[in-house]
Amino acid sequence: MIPSGPEAPAAARSFVCEVLAQFAPTLAESIVDDVRLIVSEMVTNAYRYGTEPGDSVLVVIVPAVELVRIEVHDPRRKRPEYKPESAIRARGRGLFILDALAARWDVDDRPFGKIVWAEVAC
């Protein structure tokens, strides 16, 4: 569980590094970098659009032989949306990053919120 706030993405990146170092120590550094970027984008979206002050997000990392699964649980059921590109706005690229780096990703509803998940091939 990570408290929702501006520091949440950094905390999630640190958590990912710890989990992968312990449970997938031979994972290529490029895969670790991709997972770290994906979790950062997913937690940023959860913090900005899926929580309110005082909420937390749950980050789950499941390293397996052929993939790493990342899950971010938040308390709102509102699904992520693609934002139109803008040279002015420095936001709205998170889902495009998921498309580019994840083998697949989706959103699952849960009774009190949603799970945004992604899988990165190893």
Side-chain angles (χ1 to χ4, degrees), residues 25-112:
T26 61
L27 198 60
E29 190 61 32
S30 62
I31 301 298
V32 173
D33 290 343
D34 288 351
V35 171
R36 198 170 34 222
L37 179 55
I38 288 170
V39 80
S40 186
E41 293 297 327
M42 290 169 65
V43 170
T44 297
N45 284 348
Y47 150 61
R48 287 185 177 157
Y49 310 111
T51 63
E52 296 184 16
D55 286 341
S56 295
V57 295
L58 173 64
V59 177
V60 178
I61 303 296
V62 182
V65 174
E66 296 181 3
L67 61 86
V68 175
R69 182 177 172 99
I70 306 140
E71 296 180 0
V72 176
H73 303 233
D74 70 55
R76 290 195 58 201
R77 293 194 87 170
K78 184 177 188 279
R79 291 177 168 259
E81 299 175 2
Y82 288 93
K83 305 285 189 219
E85 289 189 38
S86 169
I88 299 168
R89 184 173 41 113
R91 292 183 176 184
R93 296 178 181 91
L95 297 183
F96 296 105
I97 290 171
L98 282 177
D99 284 341
L101 298 179
R104 62 190 198 125
W105 71 274
D106 205 349
V107 181
D108 294 332
D109 292 326
R110 59 185 196 133
F112 298 102

Side-chain angles (χ1 to χ4, degrees), residues 5-35:
E7 65 288 338
R13 288 190 301 270
S14 294
F15 172 68
V16 163
C17 290
E18 290 174 21
V19 169
L20 294 179
Q22 182 174 358
F23 296 104
T26 61
L27 198 60
E29 190 61 32
S30 62
I31 301 298
V32 173
D33 290 343
D34 288 351
V35 171

